[in-house]
Amino acid sequence: MGVSPDLRKLVIITGPSGTGKTSIASYLLDVLNDWLEFSVSATTREPRPGEQHGVHYYFMTVDEFKERIASGDLIEWEEVYPGKFYGTLRSELERIWSKQKAVLLDVDIKGALNIKKQFGNQALLIYIHPGSLETLQERLLKRGTEDQEKLKERLERAQWELSQAPEADIIVLNDDLHDARSRVLRYVKGFLFDGIPEPVEREP
Ligand code: ADP
Ligand code: 5GP
């Protein structure tokens, strides 16, 4: 690893719900604990069992979220699912950068492209691809965190989300989780410490 790299950088993980973003992000945060920190988003969706306010998300009402928009506190926000708003807080970027760490974001593709547009080469956009919609469905069913209706909503959106993969800097196929997370780690290290993206992975 290089000496005193400029870590005012952003690593953006995107991809449809159930593709493995959280699994890969938590591995990156473990291994790069001294270099990378998670940007906690604001959301109006309900917490899942085990999710903590201020750790996984800042959970808030739609009114509170709209106040945050009006105050200019969000660098981007999206209504990812009907009535469910998600957004990136400007204060999270400053909080993390002030600790001389880079920011790790888990955001939807629209938010990811929005951030990429604002930060250009300061940001690396990695798309985690499940391989197929069927694989995604299996993973979401196995995770068991969504009811039938929410599952349907997520899968419907996933079709469009998968078509957006080529917009990312790198597409990583998450077939085997151990293998995929190692590849993502390699790309992130390259971006943070060398600044030169490695040859881009473009499968599938
Ligand atoms: P996301 O954050 O993108 O919604 P998760 O990280 O929660 O996705 O993963 C969804 C589910 O799929 C979890 O139960 C996770 O353990 C599982 N999973 C992740 N990657 C793989 C993989 N390569 N093979 C099989 N299951 C996986
Ligand atoms: P989940 O409800 O599964 O945690 O997240 C649903 C979707 O919202 C995922 O695609 C996730 O990446 C996205 N998301 C989470 N936080 C943000 C955010 O701050 N902004 C945007 N645009 N999307 C987000």
Side-chain angles (χ1 to χ4, degrees):
M1 290 181 188
V3 177
S4 303
D6 175 12
L7 290 178
R8 277 183 80 86
K9 291 184 177 176
L10 305 103
V11 175
I12 314 167
I13 302 282
T14 195
S17 178
T19 195
K21 299 183 298 295
T22 309
S23 313
I24 290 172
S26 71
Y27 174 72
L28 293 177
L29 292 165
D30 258 8
V31 177
L32 296 175
N33 179 46
D34 290 341
W35 309 98
L36 200 62
E37 193 162 322
F38 186 61
S39 166
V40 181
S41 291
T43 187
T44 67
R45 83 145 160 77
E46 305 72 33
R48 292 181 188 137
E51 282 185 336
Q52 288 171 267
H53 181 79
V55 176
H56 301 93
Y57 281 107
Y58 294 105
F59 296 99
M60 54 185 73
T61 63
V62 173
D63 281 349
E64 283 167 338
F65 194 96
K66 287 186 174 160
E67 275 170 32
R68 295 303 210 118
I69 298 173
S71 308
D73 294 346
L74 303 173
I75 63 159
E76 64 77 32
W77 61 272
E78 296 294 334
E79 186 177 1
V80 180
Y81 306 108
K84 306 298 175 203
F85 294 86
Y86 296 78
T88 304
L89 291 154
R90 193 182 306 280
S91 54
E92 284 294 284
L93 308 193
E94 290 308 329
R95 177 181 70 76
I96 296 166
W97 282 336
S98 73
K99 295 169 150 181
Q100 323 300 329
K101 290 184 181 185
V103 177
L104 180 69
L105 301 119
D106 170 346
V107 297
D108 90 308
I109 182 69
K110 278 194 196 166
L113 291 171
N114 190 340
I115 295 169
K116 184 75 190 165
K117 205 166 154 190
Q118 295 180 52
F119 292 94
N121 288 340
Q122 217 180 321
L124 179 70
L125 175 45
I126 304 176
Y127 193 105
I128 310 298
H129 201 294
S132 71
L133 204 57
E134 289 69 33
T135 304
L136 200 63
Q137 182 165 5
E138 279 165 26
R139 285 183 194 167
L140 279 172
L141 278 171
K142 207 169 133 217
R143 192 173 71 186
T145 48
E146 270 71 38
D147 61 26
Q148 269 312 108
E149 193 194 330
K150 294 216 177 74
L151 194 74
K152 191 165 165 264
E153 220 167 63
R154 284 174 184 245
L155 287 169
E156 274 168 10
R157 185 178 165 88
Q159 283 190 330
W160 169 80
E161 288 174 309
L162 290 178
S163 75
Q164 300 300 300
E167 301 297 322
D169 294 321
I170 304 174
I171 304 171
V172 172
L173 173 64
N174 177 19
D175 38 9
D176 176 79
L177 179 59
H178 279 72
D179 192 42
R181 69 187 199 179
S182 304
R183 289 186 336 263
V184 173
L185 176 63
R186 187 157 45 82
Y187 292 126
V188 171
K189 277 183 172 172
F191 171 66
L192 293 184
F193 305 120
D194 304 330
I196 306 156
E198 299 194 24
V200 284
E201 190 170 343
R202 278 277 173 213
E203 293 298 324

